[in-house]
């Protein structure tokens, strides 16, 4: 299975962000990727009040077309999606197959309400977003994908549930801040891969954004042994990597940690 992890430095102009994503997905396809993962907030980074009607009526169809026109499965990072008028939107990660058909929508469960020692200082996602509740699992590209987003990474029990239900590849679209990313990004990604014997596809925002925020970048692909297979430090770009899914079966025979659990 050949996959692509896409890193972006999204701005406040939705149309420009879409154009950047389109170019990077096209590049992934040209390198033979069957699946591409975009980062969190790839369309609306820094926007305080995104146009939710345009997201639903214009940009979601554009993303479906992006997958279909490139014949590639797509995990479309996150974008704000509102189910009912007047309600808070979810931070939603849409999954499309290579025909542009929507397979699943994962709504971010763990919302980032934290104080960080950076120029922003305080992040309160729950002020703007509703909390999801459904485990993110979908069958795509002949395997089972686990879906998570950014702050979910700090909750190992969530990833254990994904593994217990057969996830072999887990996607982690993110917008990790520069401060928290430098401290914890890589170690958390590698830990989740080791604990659950799965591949991790971590697509992060990576650079200084027009709104003044800085994200850590270092998008990476991690194998089930916890080794970083490829990494992109900063700036927009695309990592493409072949995954040997059969290696998971071998590892689980040699070190069956999931069946050794006591609690």
């Amino acid at each position: 299975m050949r996959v692509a992890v896409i890193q972006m430095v999204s701005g406040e102009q939705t149309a420009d962000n879409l154009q950047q994503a389109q170019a990077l997905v096209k590049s992934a396809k040209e390198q033979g990727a069957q699946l591409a993962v975009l980062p969190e907030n790839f369309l609306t980074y820094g926007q305080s009040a995104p146009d939710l009607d345009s997201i639903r009526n214009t940009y979601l169809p554009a993303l479906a077309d992006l997958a279909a026109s490139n014949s590639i499965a797509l995990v479309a990072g996150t974008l704000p999606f509102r189910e009912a008028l007047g309600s808070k939107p979810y931070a939603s990660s849409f999954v499309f197959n290579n025909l542009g058909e929507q397979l699943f929508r994962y709504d971010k469960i763990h919302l980032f309400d934290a104080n960080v020692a950076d120029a922003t200082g305080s992040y309160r996602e729950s002020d703007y977003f509703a909390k999801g509740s459904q485990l993110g699992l979908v069958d795509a590209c002949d395997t089972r994908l686990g879906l998570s987003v950014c702050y979910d990474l700090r909750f190992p029990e969530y990833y254990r549930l994904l593994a217990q239900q057969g996830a072999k590849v887990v996607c982690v679209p993110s917008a990790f801040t520069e401060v928290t990313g430098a401290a914890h990004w890589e170690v958390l990604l590698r830990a989740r891969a080791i604990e659950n014997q799965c591949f991790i596809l971590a697509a992060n925002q990576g650079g200084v954004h027009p709104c003044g925020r800085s994200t850590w970048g270092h998008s990476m692909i991690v194998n089930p042994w916890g080794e970083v297979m490829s990494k992109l430090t900063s700036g927009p770009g695309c990592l493409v990597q072949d995954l040997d899914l059969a290696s998971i079966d071998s590892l689980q025979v040699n070190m069956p940690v999931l069946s050794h659990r006591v609690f």
Side-chain angles (χ1 to χ4, degrees):
M1 179 183 181
R2 179 165 285 194
V3 300
V5 162
I6 291 172
Q7 183 164 289
M8 294 176 60
V9 186
S10 299
E12 297 182 43
Q13 300 302 315
T14 308
D16 292 345
N17 293 334
L18 177 62
Q19 188 173 29
Q20 183 183 171
Q22 288 169 329
L24 289 166
V25 170
K26 182 179 179 182
S27 174
K29 179 61 180 181
E30 289 171 347
Q31 296 176 67
Q34 299 161 271
L35 169 72
V37 183
L38 290 164
E40 184 179 23
N41 296 327
F42 72 99
L43 274 182
T44 57
Y45 194 93
Q47 291 187 14
S48 57
D51 184 341
L52 299 180
D53 290 334
S54 290
I55 295 295
R56 176 192 286 272
N57 299 322
T58 301
Y59 290 101
L60 265 180
L63 292 168
D65 181 67
L66 178 60
S69 62
N70 288 281
S71 189
I72 191 170
L74 182 64
V75 177
T78 67
L79 46 84
F81 182 79
R82 184 171 61 193
E83 285 192 322
L85 189 65
S87 63
K88 284 184 182 178
Y90 294 101
S92 298
S93 185
F94 287 83
V95 182
F96 302 94
N97 66 14
N98 63 350
L99 301 176
E101 298 166 334
Q102 183 182 320
L103 299 180
F104 195 80
R105 188 189 96 211
Y106 168 66
D107 299 326
K108 184 177 181 181
I109 291 175
H110 301 96
L111 300 180
F112 188 51
D113 288 359
N115 299 323
V116 177
D118 64 8
T120 301
S122 179
Y123 297 81
R124 293 291 180 271
E125 278 192 325
S126 63
D127 287 349
Y128 306 100
F129 291 100
K131 182 185 296 187
S133 59
Q134 183 179 0
L135 195 66
L137 283 162
V138 62
D139 292 324
C141 298
D142 297 320
T143 192
R144 175 151 285 194
L145 294 181
L147 304 170
S148 64
V149 175
C150 201
Y151 194 49
D152 287 334
L153 191 57
R154 295 184 182 274
F155 301 87
E157 66 276 13
Y158 178 75
Y159 290 80
R160 179 51 50 87
L161 287 172
L162 294 176
Q164 285 180 289
Q165 297 199 30
K168 292 190 173 184
V169 179
V170 179
C171 304
V172 194
S174 300
F176 248 68
T177 71
E178 186 173 22
V179 170
T180 58
H184 299 145
W185 171 250
E186 182 170 325
V187 69
L188 287 171
L189 292 169
R190 295 177 67 188
R192 298 297 87 86
I194 295 166
E195 292 163 349
N196 299 295
Q197 298 180 322
C198 64
F199 288 95
I200 296 284
L201 310 183
N204 203 19
Q205 294 278 352
V208 180
H209 301 264
C211 66
R213 293 183 183 179
S214 295
T215 45
W216 177 238
H218 294 77
S219 295
M220 64 183 69
I221 299 171
V222 185
N223 71 18
W225 196 244
E227 297 167 330
V228 177
M229 303 176 75
S230 53
K231 180 193 297 186
L232 178 60
T233 303
S234 62
C238 181
L239 299 172
V240 176
Q241 185 73 50
D242 290 318
L243 307 184
D244 179 9
L245 298 179
S247 67
I248 296 176
D249 298 328
S250 176
L251 178 59
Q252 290 178 345
V253 168
N254 293 326
M255 190 176 290
V257 294
L258 295 178
S259 65
H260 287 164
R261 291 183 306 116
V262 175
F263 297 104

